[in-house]
Amino acid sequence: MKDCASDVEKKEITRRTFLKMATGAGLLAGLTGALAGCADKNPEHAGGKGWLPYQYNVAGNLPAQVRGRVPIDADNPSIVRDDRKCILCGQCLEVCENIESVYGYYNLPVVDETICINCGQCSMACPSGAISERDDTQKVFEALADKNKFVLVQTAPATRVALGEEFGLKPGTWVQGQQVAALRRLGFDAVLDTNFTADLTIMEEATELIKRIKGEVKKPLPQFTSCSPGWIKFCEYFYPELIPNISSCKSPQQMFGALAKTYYAKEKGIDPGNILSVSVMPCTAKKYEAQRPEMNASAAYWKRDNLRDVDVVLTTRELARMIKEKQIDFTALPEESYDQLMGEETGGAVIFGATGGVMEAAARTAYFLITGQEPPALFLNLTPVRGLAGVKEAAAEIPGVGTLRVAVSHGMANGRKILDAVREGRAPWHFVEFMTCPGGCVAGGGQPRTAVPPTDAVREQRLAALYKADASLPKRNSHENAEVAALYHNLLEHPMSELAEELLHTEYHSRADKLERLFAKVV
Amino acid sequence: MGALVDITKCIGCESCVVACRLYNGLEPGQNEGYRTAQDGNTELAPNKWTVIQSHRTEKSEKQIRRFVKQQCFHCLEPACASACFAKALQKTPEGPVVYNEKLCVGCRYCMIACPFGILRFEWDKPFPRVLKCQMCLGRLADGQMPACASVCPTGAITFGERDKMVGEAKNRLTSNPDLYTGQIYGVKEAGGTSWLYISDVPFEQLGFRTNVPEKPIPEYTWQVLRWTPFIFVGWGALLTGMYLYTKRRAGVHEEEEMYAPVDDDGK
């Protein structure tokens, strides 16, 4: 009996048996639930915890006004996109389609490249900073640290009225002297001015215009300016039949690059292979322009294949970043002057940064080259081509020639109006200026993002600063630039000479095979 | 429901990729910001349920470039769901094949089953999940398009009833026979999928799996798996029978021994 009693005691629920039983029951319930797929009465699926901007939360297929974003290739030399910051607001597409008339003006399917004119206006409109310029500052820092490199820099006309905004100064503050000082503090071996080649461009371009008008060059009128690389690419894509109208002159940046490794190198006795040619530009398309295969005049000149005329292009924003990285107190810098040989400027060069500026400067010098007299007051204040109207026209009397008719546009949607008129044979103009960016280079795709999206108020302040500088300079005509005169005397002989053609002129090529053009926007 | 992707209309802006990330709350990886051409195409990942892949190929002896959107095809008879004994992957009546992480045991049979190689496993997580496109089930419930379809600026993605999408695809092919190849990918592949594609370039040139059987994958598995109950019961019966037989034989043997005549030796 005693034995039986001890057996009963053993079967009592102990802590051990309870845990075993509970675990077994749990496992059984879990397995049953899992197998049946009904463990969760309200099954949750993964995802769906985030958000989308308002315009995408519409039922069905209602069209949204702004939908999606622009395509940017991973190897785009001008702009990059940080997908982590993109909020699909569609502002980039809005600019590309309505301001630059690129997106929506080509048929699909794409051929073999992403259509982009590299203007960077999308980066100016991007509220989250997801689109920005391709950062090349490290290349410059490395070269500056290399004792064997002669690092030479040129600065565009428009950077000097915008760089200050990165350091808290008011839009349009004139910081030319501080910019030079900052570049010296960064360690550049020579600080030179693109204004020098802006004047040179005018000498070449005005000469070409006169030759076209006189029929000495068998090229059609109107002559188109060629300083804005985004516009050039736009024309190559969408209006290839009008390429002969484009001036053969390179842009001031590329003229400068070609001369930096030829004229400057010879005069200073520097091996061109040791020169790193840097430019500071208000423009992202300049990064693309510097990479164009045609832009290696110095390589042809020295017969050294590996030379590029401009090695690195920095935007105004990148220069500001470099100054901040080196902790240079920009606003406290003294005003310094550019180095000699390729550092002189005139008022005509300064206004290159404004819409209508190239036109006005060219008109002044064309008047001089035709009449041999200094241009009258009208040419020094060609007000009809100033300001922010999309398309501007002007007519001015040049004794001995007649009326010079000119037109100016900025933003390629405005440019299309002129281009369509030229294509249809209803263009009365002799000379037309195209600028890719609204307002011209002052509001280029590489300028400080003082207002997002850029406003006319900021553009006007920067433009006013350029015209004020022009009015205050002792020399206002490009043909008065003494260093340009010295260049012709020492090397080029005269505008459009054989060597000038070799170094300063180029040809453009149709890109029509890269897309199927649409002459009206896709609805 | 279904979606029709017209490859000829894709410009490679990857709006759909960002929309998917934003709506599904997928955290981008540290290196997923800027990309260079050297980085190549991005692949599907646990935090990337859709990607755009760029393909350079030839058409009429000319170099061309096409962009292909990748995501779960949402098969009409999904192999992944049939392979999932935990029912973590299920086909919903609306069309999406959705994943419920609370039921997932992490066996990854679904990954082996998927004929398109879409599902991705969180290898670096202590409690990993198997993730893929959910066709934005929540948005569908609200009468909206999936996030990716709603943001496409060129209309490369059309969304609606699958039958209508098939009809739309056929319309496009017949109205523009010079452009398209004439094939609708996804009508028959793996028994039919909710995502359909049309293209002007043969699909095999664009990285599509063109050797996917037309019969639904679960039908293949069913040919084997339908024997499971019989094998389960039969095997049990066989073993029980063998157990009973051996037990009885041992009993008989013991009995025989017990009642066996004692040897004359008397030991």
Side-chain angles (χ1 to χ4, degrees):
Chain A
M1 288 299 285
K2 268 183 183 177
D3 284 340
C4 283
S6 65
D7 283 350
V8 169
E9 277 169 18
K10 273 181 193 171
K11 283 178 186 173
E12 276 179 359
I13 297 172
T14 62
R15 193 181 299 160
R16 179 183 169 85
T17 53
F18 174 77
L19 285 171
K20 276 172 76 176
M21 186 181 70
T23 312
L27 277 172
L28 191 66
L31 190 64
T32 311
L35 282 170
C38 58
D40 197 344
K41 288 282 182 193
N42 298 305
E44 272 186 34
H45 58 86
K49 307 275 195 305
W51 60 281
L52 267 185
Y54 165 78
Q55 68 263 37
Y56 303 110
N57 295 320
V58 287
N61 289 311
L62 288 174
Q65 210 170 14
V66 179
R67 197 191 280 273
R69 60 180 189 169
V70 293
I72 298 175
D73 257 344
D75 58 357
N76 189 314
S78 300
I79 47 173
V80 291
R81 187 175 56 203
D82 187 345
D83 277 353
R84 291 170 300 188
K85 294 181 186 169
C86 181
I87 53 168
L88 285 177
C89 65
Q91 293 303 305
C92 52
L93 208 62
E94 167 87 3
V95 172
C96 193
E97 187 168 8
N98 296 325
I99 306 293
E100 300 299 7
S101 68
V102 173
Y103 171 79
Y105 284 82
Y106 51 90
N107 211 348
L108 296 177
V110 293
V111 181
D112 70 346
E113 70 178 38
T114 299
I115 307 303
C116 172
I117 60 169
N118 305 75
C119 67
Q121 283 298 308
C122 50
S123 76
M124 298 298 285
C126 178
S128 65
I131 303 177
S132 59
E133 70 285 344
R134 184 174 287 282
D135 191 313
D136 290 313
T137 56
Q138 283 312 309
K139 288 182 197 168
V140 180
F141 275 128
E142 282 167 22
L144 290 172
D146 186 346
K147 294 241 176 337
N148 297 321
K149 281 276 177 204
F150 186 88
V151 190
L152 169 155
V153 64
Q154 54 166 318
T155 65
T159 62
R160 66 204 73 195
V161 292
L163 180 62
E165 294 162 38
E166 286 276 350
F167 301 93
L169 299 177
K170 274 175 33 183
T173 307
W174 185 260
V175 292
Q176 177 175 310
Q178 288 90 337
Q179 181 178 248
V180 173
L183 289 165
R184 291 223 172 87
R185 305 286 182 287
L186 284 169
F188 286 95
D189 297 299
V191 183
L192 302 166
D193 199 355
T194 316
N195 280 358
F196 165 76
T197 38
D199 282 330
L200 184 64
T201 303
I202 289 301
M203 293 298 291
E204 296 288 326
E205 205 159 332
T207 306
E208 186 185 348
L209 177 65
I210 293 161
K211 283 181 185 279
R212 284 192 196 222
I213 292 172
K214 289 183 177 173
E216 292 172 18
V217 172
K218 298 290 175 214
K219 283 185 177 175
L221 283 172
Q223 176 175 302
F224 297 158
T225 56
S226 56
C227 300
S228 181
W231 136 247
I232 298 292
K233 199 176 183 190
F234 181 89
C235 191
E236 289 175 325
Y237 275 139
F238 297 103
Y239 294 87
E241 65 275 19
L242 299 182
I243 288 174
N245 290 72
I246 301 175
S247 165
S248 64
C249 293
K250 289 180 183 171
S251 72
Q253 169 181 266
Q254 291 309 135
M255 284 196 183
F256 196 101
L259 292 173
K261 293 192 178 178
T262 54
Y263 176 60
Y264 190 88
K266 277 170 85 172
E267 294 288 322
K268 296 284 182 184
I270 305 166
D271 177 3
N274 281 342
I275 295 178
L276 187 92
S277 169
V278 179
S279 65
V280 179
M281 294 284 142
C283 175
T284 52
K286 291 283 176 191
K287 287 176 184 274
Y288 141 78
E289 184 188 42
Q291 291 190 358
R292 285 183 71 121
E294 309 89 302
M295 300 302 173
N296 63 344
S298 54
Y301 184 83
W302 294 108
K303 295 187 174 51
R304 289 164 71 169
D305 289 343
N306 56 348
L307 290 181
R308 296 295 303 170
D309 293 343
V310 175
D311 295 299
V312 185
V313 179
L314 300 174
T315 60
T316 316
R317 296 197 292 265
E318 283 172 275
L319 174 60
R321 214 175 296 141
M322 288 180 74
I323 294 169
K324 288 170 188 170
E325 196 168 326
K326 288 292 172 190
Q327 298 185 341
I328 296 168
D329 187 354
F330 184 78
T331 53
L333 288 172
E335 291 193 35
E336 293 182 9
S337 302
Y338 284 100
D339 290 333
Q340 299 293 302
L341 197 63
M342 290 166 71
E344 188 177 335
E345 64 174 346
T346 69
V350 169
I351 57 173
F352 257 61
T355 164
V358 179
M359 166 65 59
E360 191 171 340
R364 291 176 193 174
T365 295
Y367 186 96
F368 172 80
L369 294 177
I370 292 167
T371 64
Q373 296 169 359
E374 291 304 320
L378 169 68
F379 282 81
L380 293 175
N381 290 298
L382 202 56
T383 45
V385 299
R386 295 186 181 182
L388 290 173
V391 177
K392 298 168 279 186
E393 285 184 280
E397 286 296 324
I398 300 183
V401 174
T403 307
L404 180 70
R405 294 182 186 280
V406 299
V408 169
S409 74
H410 52 122
M412 292 323 306
N414 292 323
R416 273 183 189 272
K417 295 171 188 166
I418 293 178
L419 289 161
D420 288 340
V422 175
R423 193 170 56 198
E424 291 159 15
R426 45 183 183 85
W429 312 290
H430 299 102
F431 194 31
V432 184
E433 179 199 296
F434 294 94
M435 283 287 163
T436 312
C437 299
C441 305
V442 289
Q447 291 284 66
R449 290 153 43 89
T450 306
V452 179
T455 62
D456 279 350
V458 172
R459 291 185 183 114
E460 279 164 0
Q461 284 167 299
R462 293 175 185 169
L463 288 174
L466 288 182
Y467 285 117
K468 189 179 165 196
D470 168 39
S472 66
L473 280 167
K475 294 178 183 176
R476 297 187 63 188
N477 302 308
S478 296
H479 54 270
E480 294 174 305
N481 189 317
E483 287 185 349
V484 170
L487 169 68
Y488 280 118
H489 181 262
N490 296 335
L491 186 71
L492 299 177
E493 295 176 7
H494 57 84
M496 296 185 75
S497 68
E498 199 175 322
L499 185 57
E501 289 278 355
E502 189 185 310
L503 294 178
L504 312 179
H505 292 251
T506 187
E507 285 181 354
Y508 300 105
H509 307 286
S510 169
R511 293 174 191 267
D513 61 330
K514 305 293 181 195
L515 51 73
E516 193 181 321
R517 281 186 287 169
L518 281 178
F519 297 110
K521 188 165 68 174
V522 179
V523 178
Chain B
M1 304 300 285
L4 172 64
V5 180
D6 190 336
I7 287 171
T8 67
K9 290 189 176 184
C10 183
I11 54 172
C13 70
E14 297 177 307
S15 299
C16 48
V17 178
V18 176
C20 177
R21 182 172 64 71
L22 290 178
Y23 177 70
N24 290 306
L26 305 175
E27 286 295 321
Q30 281 300 308
N31 301 321
E32 284 179 26
Y34 304 105
R35 259 191 309 134
T36 64
Q38 287 73 37
D39 295 338
N41 281 327
T42 52
E43 299 286 336
L44 290 173
N47 62 347
K48 262 197 174 172
W49 297 353
T50 185
V51 292
I52 294 288
Q53 296 216 313
S54 162
H55 294 270
R56 289 192 186 275
T57 181
E58 276 192 4
K59 183 186 171 189
S60 310
E61 296 180 356
K62 275 187 176 176
Q63 288 292 315
I64 59 159
R65 191 177 187 197
R66 291 289 176 270
F67 300 99
V68 177
K69 184 178 184 296
Q70 270 197 351
Q71 77 294 303
C72 172
F73 282 74
H74 296 277
C75 303
L76 302 182
E77 293 182 51
C80 57
S82 76
C84 180
F85 62 83
K87 299 270 173 52
L89 283 155
Q90 291 184 32
K91 176 85 176 168
T92 60
E94 297 85 4
V97 177
V98 294
Y99 169 77
N100 183 347
E101 63 190 64
K102 288 187 177 172
L103 299 179
C104 181
V105 296
C107 69
R108 291 178 277 125
Y109 287 173
C110 51
M111 293 172 70
I112 297 165
C114 177
F116 302 105
I118 297 296
L119 294 105
R120 293 291 183 275
F121 189 66
E122 291 182 308
W123 293 101
D124 55 343
K125 296 276 172 68
F127 297 104
R129 298 171 294 173
V130 180
L131 292 171
K132 68 167 198 72
C133 159
Q134 306 278 80
M135 219 204 264
C136 297
L137 191 62
R139 284 177 63 89
L140 260 58
D142 291 343
Q144 296 172 336
M145 289 182 272
C148 57
S150 74
V151 302
C152 182
T154 62
I157 311 170
T158 318
F159 192 79
E161 297 287 337
R162 184 178 183 270
D163 292 345
K164 286 183 182 170
M165 292 301 105
V166 174
E168 172 66 22
K170 283 179 181 166
N171 275 344
R172 292 192 199 178
L173 298 188
T174 49
S175 62
N176 205 346
D178 294 339
L179 178 64
Y180 296 104
T181 58
Q183 187 192 352
I184 307 170
Y185 190 93
V187 168
K188 290 177 181 170
E189 279 71 14
T193 61
S194 296
W195 280 73
L196 307 159
Y197 289 77
I198 52 174
S199 168
D200 63 331
V201 180
F203 286 103
E204 56 266 26
Q205 291 179 30
L206 299 176
F208 282 81
R209 291 191 180 181
T210 48
N211 56 354
V212 178
E214 290 186 1
K215 212 165 155 186
I217 308 294
E219 279 191 21
Y220 288 95
T221 49
W222 181 240
Q223 285 178 359
V224 177
L225 289 173
R226 65 182 170 178
W227 296 107
T228 308
F230 301 105
I231 294 168
F232 186 78
V233 175
W235 188 246
L238 179 71
L239 291 177
T240 309
M242 285 175 73
Y243 168 74
L244 291 173
Y245 171 73
T246 50
K247 194 179 174 190
R248 185 174 171 277
R249 201 178 153 185
V252 169
H253 179 72
E254 270 183 25
E255 215 170 77
E256 278 176 353
E257 273 196 348
M258 191 182 290
Y259 297 107
V262 179
D263 287 346
D264 292 342
D265 298 347
K267 288 177 184 174

